[in-house]
Structures are given as C-alpha cells and as structure tokens.
Amino acid sequence: MGGSESLPKVSLTTDRVVLVTGGNTGIGYETAKWIAMRGARVIIACRSEERAKSAIERMQNEFKMEKSKGALGLCSSETLALEFMTLDLSSLRSVETFINNFKAKEPKLHVLLCNAGIGLHEQNYTEDGFEIMFQVNYLAHFLLVAKLLPLMLNSGEDCRLIFVSSEAHRTSSFDLDKAQGKHHTKENFKRLMYYGNSKLYQIMQMYCLNRRLQVANLTVNSLHPGLVNTEINRNFDDMKCLSCCFRLGGSLETNASKRPSGSTLWTV
C-alpha cells in the first residue's frame, strides 16, 4: 500500500475499440493514451479537432519515450492506434450526429468511457434549454449510452461501460422539480450542489443499467478518480478559495502528467 503508481499491465489488440469522451485533456488524455499503449484502438471524442490532434501528437511522442525507457506492458506497434471524432456534449444535435457517424463507421464498440465533464460552472443553459452541467456531465452521456448500448451488446464478450463520477455526489440534493436550477439567480446558484447532482445522476444510471443488464456481456462501473490537477477547475477560477484548495489537493494527490488515470484504467 502507499503512493506508488499502479497501472494494469494487460495486453490489448486493435480489435478492441475504446471510445473516450474528453480524451484530449486531463484524466481522459492519460486514460486514452495508456489504453492505446496497451494496444487497443482508441477514439477520442471531443469538441476541438485542433486540440484533439495536438493531444494525439503528444501521445505518440510520449509513447516513444516510454518505449525508449523500456516500460513494461506496451504494445509492439510503432505508433498508437488513435483517432478523433467530433462531439460537443453541450449540443444534443451534435451528440446525435456523432452517434450516427460512429455507427456508420464502427461495427463494434467494446469500451465506452464517459469521462468528459465540466465542474462548478456558473449558472448557464445549453441551446437545448438544460442546465449546462446537467447536460454535459449526465444527459448527453445518457443519450450516448442509450444509442450505443445495442452496438455494445452485439460486440462480443467483456464489454465495459464506465462513468467517471465524483465524490462530489455527496453534495447533491435530489429534487426533480428543481433539477435545472431555474428558480435560482446567477448570484445564488449553488454551483457545487448542481455539479454534485450531475455526478449523482451518473451513479444512478450505473445502478439502473446494472439492474437491467445482469445477464449481458456488459459490465457497468462508476468511479471517483481522486483529486487530480487538471483543467476541471477552469470553470471556477473565480471561486478563489475553492480553486486554491482544489489545486493544492490535486498537487498533493497527483498531477495530470503523472498518470492520474490509474483508477479509470482498472475498470477498462
């Protein structure tokens, strides 16, 4: 026990298709990279093609560095099997377009990692009329899962559906009548609670799917990734005390450049 790095050393093949939302930065970046370095084909779904391609280039360079150091468990190929597809979770139309494009090109999906999210955003609403954390963290992923689940159920044995949730779900308050927070003003909007709500909904979805898929080929898990120094705090930089505590805690726990994806990788 202790603080040493712990990553599963499992060999995968490019026949195993893994979809990671928000795989261009933070925990998603490290997770996508290390799954690809184990040999799987990884599709990074995010908004910015420029940022995704830059992330993929960095991953390829870091793969070469790990190989030069003789790291264990790496795939034998010269380059990682990484791809980008456009997905904007703040637009349900974008999610539907992504789903149609994915199903048109991919006959199978073995791992869906619902990683992308925003934290403690100020009160704001999407083009679809939903509170932004509710939609990005939960609703858009719900739609993604609902439409891709049949594909996963026909993709062979040992498929995985993973929700990157948070201990912040303990700050939640479950009230469907107030789920969108429209009774609040920008000044009194409870950002931590509504972030916690979005993470609670992910956990509820995990339990719901597990009840309904008991005899299926699909394992459904939800996890708390720990305190990690990533870009998640960019939405609450104005909350100086919380932002400072989060950065300090993340620095003590682990930095994004030091493989924060361990707990996520163990579920894949």
Side-chain angles (χ1 to χ4, degrees):
M1 299 179 68
S4 60
E5 292 176 353
S6 176
L7 296 178
K9 295 178 174 60
V10 178
S11 295
L12 304 171
T13 68
T14 52
D15 292 335
R16 192 163 179 83
V17 180
V18 179
L19 172 59
V20 182
T21 66
N24 63 308
T25 186
I27 294 171
Y29 174 93
E30 293 292 325
T31 304
K33 180 182 73 176
W34 282 96
I35 294 173
M37 288 204 290
R38 297 296 185 243
R41 183 161 66 90
V42 179
I43 297 167
I44 294 171
C46 63
R47 288 180 300 173
S48 170
E49 181 176 2
E50 181 182 357
R51 292 193 68 188
K53 288 185 174 179
S54 175
I56 289 172
E57 184 178 352
R58 292 199 315 274
M59 290 180 194
Q60 299 287 9
N61 291 334
E62 289 167 18
F63 174 52
K64 292 175 183 176
M65 288 177 59
E66 291 291 336
K67 272 205 159 186
S68 68
K69 293 188 294 186
L72 299 176
L74 302 183
C75 62
S76 59
S77 61
E78 292 301 314
T79 58
L80 300 177
L82 291 160
E83 302 173 28
F84 159 74
M85 289 185 68
T86 303
L87 172 64
D88 181 357
L89 295 168
S90 67
S91 165
L92 296 182
R93 180 164 49 185
S94 172
V95 177
E96 289 278 12
T97 299
F98 172 87
I99 291 165
N100 292 334
N101 291 340
F102 188 91
K103 291 197 291 189
K105 71 185 283 289
E106 299 293 342
K108 292 185 178 183
L109 175 60
H110 302 96
V111 179
L112 172 53
L113 209 161
C114 299
N115 164 83
I118 52 176
L120 281 74
H121 201 288
E122 65 181 7
Q123 188 184 42
N124 197 11
Y125 294 90
T126 67
E127 63 184 40
D128 303 292
F130 296 104
E131 191 275 316
I132 192 166
M133 289 184 286
F134 174 87
Q135 179 164 327
V136 171
N137 296 354
Y138 166 68
L139 185 62
H141 280 118
F142 182 97
L143 179 59
L144 202 61
V145 170
K147 294 294 184 76
L148 293 180
L149 192 59
L151 185 63
M152 298 186 76
L153 292 174
N154 287 292
S155 293
E157 295 302 313
D158 194 24
C159 292
R160 311 285 179 93
L161 172 57
I162 301 134
F163 297 99
V164 179
S165 185
S166 170
E167 277 291 310
H169 78 275
R170 299 184 187 279
T171 68
S172 63
S173 176
F174 185 70
D175 186 339
L176 289 179
D177 292 331
K178 298 178 180 179
Q180 301 307 314
K182 293 186 177 179
H183 60 293
H184 288 295
T185 64
K186 279 189 179 292
E187 288 71 30
N188 66 16
F189 182 71
K190 299 177 180 178
R191 291 157 71 173
L192 180 57
M193 187 185 80
Y194 278 89
Y195 174 67
N197 287 354
S198 71
K199 293 302 175 178
L200 173 67
Y201 302 147
Q202 286 185 309
I203 296 170
M204 292 170 68
Q205 186 180 6
M206 179 268 293
Y207 278 116
C208 177
L209 287 170
N210 270 315
R211 285 199 304 271
R212 287 161 172 75
L213 298 170
Q214 291 182 24
V215 295
N217 62 328
L218 184 70
T219 301
V220 187
N221 286 303
S222 177
L223 64 95
H224 168 59
L227 280 175
V228 182
N229 187 12
T230 69
E231 292 182 5
I232 193 170
N233 56 7
R234 63 188 170 190
N235 291 310
F236 56 93
D237 271 342
D238 59 311
M239 303 169 73
K240 300 301 182 184
C241 182
L242 181 60
S243 181
C244 180
C245 291
F246 196 93
R247 283 195 175 94
L248 177 61
S251 297
L252 292 172
E253 184 80 12
T254 184
N255 187 279
S257 64
K258 295 181 179 178
R259 310 179 190 176
S261 54
S263 55
T264 309
L265 286 171
W266 282 107
T267 64
V268 175

